[in-house]
DNA sequence: CGGATACTGTTCAATGTTAACAGATAAATT
DNA sequence: AATTTATCTGTTAACATTGAACAGTATCCG
């Protein structure tokens, strides 16, 4: 009862990043604000949120903001990313060996990952740390040199490591997509990594918010027909749907 | 002027983890509390702190607490760790290739690292992320499987990667030391990694708070004579000093 | 030099927070 | 089932912190 409410409140804060006490009062009209306050106090002691004046913030989200401050990346479009993440989660089943790419979309995905028996490989140290809270997930990092703009590991070591592992399902983020040039990104070394993953993984799922459709970045790492599914936050325009049908791609 | 004060305030918060406005008012008696409040607001916008009722907290420290919550490690003895970190920093010079071990002591060390031209190799993803804010440091992670108790990467891949790199100076944390058994730790794979580092690095510096003297853990990774310097927060007892002199070890 | 910009200090109302107590509910023990 | 115990909840009132507004000061730049 109590535990449920607290868990729900935590969930809500984690997904939104922040909450005002006023909001909580509206969501729980029968619960006194003092109790809600005490719930926040409880969650703070668990180390999951910090209370601020008038509400509370998710610590996980704060870490992202800190990273964003150094990596000149913005924490934008969170709603779309959450929708994408939740859709992608449904493709999972326990016992799989999966790859999770770097980037904020994949970070949301990682945050929503259920605590089930999984083997995860990722080139993103922040994602690896996020997964620490799920004791049933075996976490592996590729190693290599850290790109401070994208928080991605890449280089010789990363490549070599991936070659030795088997991946069932790879969740990859794309910075751009066009029908002519397929999925592309802006960093040579990351593209190299992604290409290898696309070759090695049994099934490839691309996560991408629809604002990136119809654009190009320098390095293509996959064509439409190379992947298994494309996850976006809203239905695609007809031309893309048609192309997807022809290539036998799942649109989610 | 203003910038200096803000920088100093930030430093203070980062090292203590948290501050009350009252404290700030005492430390800056000539500055109005409104201005101090605005300084905090400024730092918050930079993404370095969060303001809480009555003060502010370091976001970096909060992330550590979150990690600690999952890794059943306590964030204790911070003062000793800071002293050790600052002493160890003095052994550094620009342009070096260094190894930084995992653990909270090394995390403090990483936080205090100046932004100079350095090559850093570490098996700790949280330390790697901490270093992102220093643009002149080249960050490399070993890769491998993540131990969620210690937040350390280890395994075949880590070993192989280290073999290919050259390290000038290795900063290693030890969980225990005794004259009979030398430096030891509690995890087999980590000991394996540390042993390799001790063999490969030109100079090895061990960071250890003095509470760990005279104790043993299962896996020894180095003897006194294998290292270059031992950094502790306070002078050691005579018997250790003598042993150190005999082995020609620097005590710092 | 003048004007723009960024920084500072004071006051006070608005807002959010805690402490303390008492009642309600659930859990454990007999 | 009854009783004790611990945990959770709601109310109130005193309290502390905050931010807005305004005015003054320093700094920069053409």
């Amino acid at each position: 009862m109590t535990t449920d409410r607290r868990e729900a409140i935590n969930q809500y804060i984690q997904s939104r990043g922040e909450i005002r006490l006023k909001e909580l009062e509206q969501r729980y009209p029968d619960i006194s604000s003092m109790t809600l306050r005490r719930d926040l106090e409880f969650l703070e002691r668990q180390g999951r949120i910090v209370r601020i004046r008038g509400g509370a913030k998710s610590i996980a989200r704060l870490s992202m903001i800190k990273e964003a401050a150094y990596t000149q990346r913005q924490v934008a479009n969170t709603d779309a990313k959450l929708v994408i993440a939740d859709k992608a989660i449904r493709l999972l089943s326990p016992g799989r060996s999966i790859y999770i790419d770097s980037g904020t979309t994949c970070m949301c995905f990682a945050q929503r990952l259920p605590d089930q028996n999984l083997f995860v490989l990722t080139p993103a140290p922040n994602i690896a740390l996020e997964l620490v809270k799920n004791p049933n997930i075996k976490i592996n990092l590729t190693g290599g040199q850290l790109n401070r703009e994208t928080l991605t590991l890449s280089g010789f070591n990363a490549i070599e490591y991936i070659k030795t592992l088997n991946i069932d399902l790879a969740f990859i983020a794309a910075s751009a997509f066009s029908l002519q040039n397929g999925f592309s990104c802006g960093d040579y070394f990351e593209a190299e990594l992604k290409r290898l993953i696309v070759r090695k993984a049994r099934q490839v799922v691309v996560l991408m918010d629809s604002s990136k459709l119809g654009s190009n970045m320098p390095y293509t790492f996959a064509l439409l027909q190379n992947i298994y599914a494309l996850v976006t936050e809203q239905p695609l325009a007809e031309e893309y749907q048609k192309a997807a049908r022809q290539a036998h791609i799942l649109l989610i």
Side-chain angles (χ1 to χ4, degrees), chain A:
Chain A
M1 188 77 263
T2 309
T3 325
D4 285 0
R5 188 189 57 242
R6 288 179 177 171
E7 209 39 58
I9 291 177
N10 180 48
Q11 278 297 326
Y12 189 68
I13 301 175
Q14 296 308 327
S15 68
R16 308 266 303 220
E18 188 173 346
I19 202 171
R20 320 249 84 219
L21 197 69
K22 299 280 182 200
E23 282 181 69
L24 271 184
E25 287 169 4
Q26 287 178 0
R27 279 170 81 85
Y28 296 91
D30 324 342
I31 310 286
S32 83
S33 76
M34 192 63 224
T35 298
L36 294 170
R37 237 194 218 101
R38 285 193 267 240
D39 288 345
L40 295 183
E41 196 187 340
F42 172 84
L43 292 171
E44 184 175 48
R45 260 205 292 273
Q46 310 258 305
R48 312 208 263 187
I49 65 171
V50 235
R51 280 181 306 158
I52 58 169
R53 185 182 162 85
K57 292 186 173 195
S58 146
I59 291 186
R61 195 59 70 90
L62 281 176
S63 326
M64 282 178 79
I65 288 171
K66 185 189 69 168
E67 286 157 11
Y70 297 124
T71 57
Q72 70 215 54
R73 209 178 6 156
Q74 74 284 35
V75 189
N77 240 344
T78 323
D79 291 343
K81 282 167 187 164
L82 278 173
V83 174
I84 294 172
D86 284 337
K87 284 182 177 178
I89 293 286
R90 287 191 229 122
L91 298 171
L92 265 180
S93 53
R96 290 305 189 77
S97 161
I98 70 175
Y99 173 87
I100 303 180
D101 205 6
S102 61
T104 46
T105 309
C106 288
M107 181 52 144
C108 281
F109 176 74
Q111 284 173 342
R112 310 293 263 192
L113 223 48
D115 183 21
Q116 51 188 216
N117 176 26
L118 284 172
F119 176 97
V120 172
L121 174 68
T122 177
N126 51 344
I127 290 181
L129 287 177
E130 184 58 35
L131 294 175
V132 165
K133 65 169 190 286
N134 300 8
N136 290 303
I137 298 183
K138 271 205 169 20
I139 311 164
N140 275 63
L141 264 170
T142 60
Q145 175 141 351
L146 185 63
N147 177 330
R148 45 167 49 77
E149 262 80 56
T150 58
L151 295 185
T152 307
L153 298 163
S154 58
F156 177 74
N157 182 257
I159 302 278
E160 288 304 308
Y161 192 27
I162 294 176
K163 282 187 185 161
T164 68
L165 295 173
N166 300 315
I167 302 291
D168 278 332
L169 209 52
F171 295 90
I172 301 188
S175 308
F177 174 76
S178 71
L179 288 174
Q180 304 78 44
N181 301 312
F183 299 98
S184 53
C185 72
D187 183 272
Y188 175 79
F189 297 102
E190 282 167 40
E192 193 180 9
L193 213 70
K194 285 181 212 258
R195 264 184 230 122
L196 176 60
I197 290 290
V198 169
R199 267 216 324 279
K200 284 225 42 159
R202 210 159 54 77
Q203 295 180 323
V204 174
V205 178
V206 174
L207 313 182
M208 191 173 73
D209 70 75
S210 53
S211 68
K212 286 160 182 168
L213 284 165
S215 61
N216 290 295
M217 294 290 272
Y219 307 101
T220 293
F221 60 85
L223 299 174
L224 202 48
Q225 58 266 29
N226 301 135
I227 73 168
Y228 164 73
L230 172 60
V231 184
T232 50
E233 87 282 13
Q234 49 169 256
L236 302 188
E238 181 52 38
E239 51 170 334
Y240 296 110
Q241 299 223 16
K242 198 172 142 205
R245 267 195 306 276
Q246 283 172 359
H248 303 290
I249 305 304
L250 222 55
L251 287 184
I252 301 174

